[in-house]
Amino acid sequence: MSLPIVIIGSGFAAYQLVKTLRRQDTEQAITVITANGGDDYAKPDLSHVFTKAQSAKDLIKMSADEFANTYGITLLSHSRVESIDATKKTLRCNGESIAYQQLILATGARAFVPPFQGDAVGRIITLNGLEDYAASQSELKEAKSVLVIGAGLIGTEIAMDLASTDKQVILTDRAEALLPSLLPDFVSAQLYQSLGNQGVTIELGTQVKSLRQAEESIAISLENGQDYRVDTVVCAVGLRPNIRLAAEAGLQTNRGIVVDRQLRTSDPHIFALGDCAEIDGNVLAFLQPILLSANALAKTLLGQASNVALPPMMVKVKTPRLPMQLSGNTANADANWQVSASKEGMTARAFDEEQQMIGFVVTGSHMKQGFSLLRELPPTF
C-alpha cells in the first residue's frame, strides 16, 4: 500500500482538501492529524452565534468520527505533531514516527493578543475556533457588558452581533476608523453610525492601557483616559499564521509559510494551505481563495500539477444593520471613488489614475449589483 497523504490541521482548508481529494480518488490513503477534536464546522458562523443563540455544539455540521467515516480517512484527533523530518519524509506525533508520501500543512493561524498590563489579562477571550467558543460560551451568554478589542472585520461583526442581544458593547481600536484595511472612510463612517445607533460605544484612535480585576468585573483603562467596567473582554485584533512546525523543519517562512503557485513549500513534498500559507507575499485567509486553492492542490497531489488562479473575489461583511459586500482594492487612499446612493443602499466604485476600476463596495439593496461589478475587476493573480 502506498504511503498516505498526511494533512496537519482540521479547519476549513484541511477538510475542504479532504473532500476535494475524495471526489477525485476514493482509494488514496489520507491521514489527518489535529490538535483539537476534529469536528467539522463553519468558522464564519462564530460571527453571529449570539443573535442566533447557538452553542458550540450547534455549530457542528459533522462530528469528527462521522467525518472520518464519511470520507474514509484516518483521523488522529487531540494529537500534536512534534517535529517534521523532511529528509526522511516522516513526522513525530504522539511519540511515534509517521511516514508520508506528501505532507500538507494546514495549521491555520492563532489569535494575537497584545501584551496588556493588569491582573485581568488572563480573562481575555478569543474566538478563533470552535474550542475557543466552547470554553467561553457560558461566560459570554451571562455577560451584560463586553469590551471588544479590535475594529477590523471580525471584531466589528462580533460587536454588532453582541449588541443585537441587548448587551452593552464597547468597541475599541487604535485605528482611526472601522475596518480600515477594507473600507474607504465614507463607508466606514456609515458603519460607525450604524453601530452607534445600535448603542455600541466606539473608542477609536486609542488602545487598552490595562485590564484589572474589580470584584467580578474587569476595570478597563484606555490610553485616552476613558475608564469602563465590563463583565468580559473579547480580543479580535488579528491572527498570526502558525509557522513554527514549518520553520523548525527548515522550510522557508516569512509572515506565513512561503509557497509557490502550486502551494509547494521549499521542500518539494510538503505543501501549505489556508491561513498559514503565504503566496506572493499574501496570506489569503478568506474562504473563497482557500476553496480554490484546495481544488488546485488536490489535482497536484494526485499527479496533475495545477497552479492556483484567483479571480476577483467577494468579501461579505456580516453586519446585518448595514449589510455590505466588497471586492478589489477598496482601501487605496489614492483611489477616485464614484458613488451612487439611495435610501436602500449604495454602490461605490474605486478607480485608479488610469480610470480602471480597482474595487467596489455595495451596501443594502445595491448588493445585487455585486456580481456584475465583480466581472469588471482584474484577477487577483
Side-chain angles (χ1 to χ4, degrees):
M1 182 179 292
S2 63
L3 292 173
I5 293 172
V6 176
I7 303 169
I8 303 176
S10 62
F12 177 78
Y15 278 1
Q16 189 60 43
L17 178 60
V18 169
K19 294 171 185 177
T20 309
L21 285 167
R22 275 294 174 254
R23 283 198 295 269
Q24 299 176 48
D25 189 320
T26 59
E27 301 298 326
Q28 170 63 51
I30 301 172
T31 298
V32 172
I33 305 172
T34 179
N36 60 36
D39 296 320
D40 185 24
Y41 75 104
K43 186 176 176 180
D45 289 348
L46 289 168
S47 290
H48 44 72
V49 289
F50 307 107
T51 301
K52 292 188 174 183
Q54 291 176 305
S55 68
K57 183 176 286 189
D58 293 332
L59 298 182
I60 297 172
K61 297 188 292 185
M62 195 178 292
S63 73
D65 288 342
E66 288 173 327
F67 187 89
N69 291 333
T70 298
Y71 292 99
I73 64 171
T74 299
L75 177 61
L76 304 179
S77 60
H78 302 293
S79 300
R80 289 194 176 274
V81 174
E82 299 148 21
S83 62
I84 298 167
D85 188 330
T87 303
K88 295 181 179 179
K89 293 175 63 176
T90 60
L91 55 84
R92 294 288 297 177
C93 177
N94 298 335
E96 297 182 2
S97 178
I98 298 174
Y100 60 83
Q101 178 186 138
Q102 295 151 314
L103 177 64
I104 296 85
L105 304 177
T107 49
R110 66 191 182 282
F112 171 65
V113 178
F116 301 117
Q117 299 178 10
D119 59 0
V121 170
R123 291 183 59 183
I124 293 174
I125 289 169
T126 58
L127 293 174
N128 187 40
L130 191 66
E131 284 72 21
D132 280 355
Y133 181 49
S136 61
Q137 59 187 353
S138 295
E139 180 178 346
L140 287 165
K141 182 178 180 180
E142 295 170 6
K144 293 182 172 59
S145 55
V146 183
L147 171 72
V148 178
I149 306 172
L153 181 65
I154 303 303
T156 301
E157 290 177 348
I158 288 173
M160 182 172 285
D161 197 56
L162 285 165
S164 296
T165 60
D166 297 324
K167 297 183 189 296
Q168 178 191 348
V169 178
I170 303 153
L171 176 63
T172 186
D173 199 299
R174 61 183 180 181
E176 299 289 343
L178 302 174
L179 277 67
S181 65
L182 289 176
L183 298 180
D185 289 343
F186 61 92
V187 182
S188 181
Q190 288 190 24
L191 186 56
Y192 184 103
Q193 183 177 7
S194 179
L195 282 165
N197 291 342
Q198 198 181 3
V200 176
T201 300
I202 304 172
E203 295 277 7
L204 298 177
T206 188
Q207 55 188 339
V208 173
K209 183 177 180 181
S210 67
L211 304 92
R212 303 192 183 280
Q213 289 287 153
E215 297 177 346
E216 297 300 316
S217 301
I218 302 173
I220 307 296
S221 294
L222 302 181
E223 293 283 0
N224 65 1
Q226 292 291 333
D227 295 319
Y228 295 95
R229 276 200 179 196
V230 296
D231 295 325
T232 193
V233 176
V234 174
C235 186
V237 299
L239 301 174
R240 299 283 176 87
N242 291 320
I243 64 173
R244 181 188 61 81
L245 266 178
E248 290 177 354
L251 304 179
Q252 183 182 355
T253 61
N254 188 30
R255 191 158 62 97
I257 303 169
V258 177
V259 296
D260 63 16
R261 292 292 180 85
Q262 292 182 8
L263 302 178
R264 200 183 305 269
T265 68
S266 52
D267 181 282
H269 303 288
I270 303 178
F271 302 78
L273 176 69
D275 293 5
C276 67
E278 180 178 326
I279 312 173
D280 290 350
N282 299 304
V283 176
L284 303 171
F286 295 109
L287 294 189
Q288 189 175 0
I290 293 174
L291 174 64
L292 294 172
S293 295
N295 290 344
L297 180 55
K299 293 178 181 178
T300 297
L301 294 173
L302 296 174
Q304 182 184 345
S306 300
N307 288 350
V308 176
L310 298 181
M313 291 169 287
M314 196 84 80
V315 176
K316 182 178 181 181
V317 183
K318 296 184 289 296
T319 47
R321 289 178 176 251
L322 183 65
M324 68 178 80
Q325 293 175 333
L326 54 95
S327 185
N329 191 349
T330 52
N332 188 335
D334 298 324
N336 298 311
W337 285 90
Q338 294 182 7
V339 181
S340 60
S342 66
K343 291 182 179 179
E344 290 77 29
M346 173 183 66
T347 299
R349 299 174 176 85
F351 294 87
D352 62 15
E353 293 179 351
E354 299 176 352
Q355 289 305 300
Q356 297 295 314
M357 191 172 78
I358 58 173
F360 66 85
V361 181
V362 286
T363 69
S365 64
H366 288 230
M367 288 197 299
K368 59 190 176 184
Q369 301 179 32
F371 286 101
S372 62
L373 291 171
L374 198 64
R375 290 191 286 270
E376 298 180 35
L377 292 177
T380 303
F381 58 70

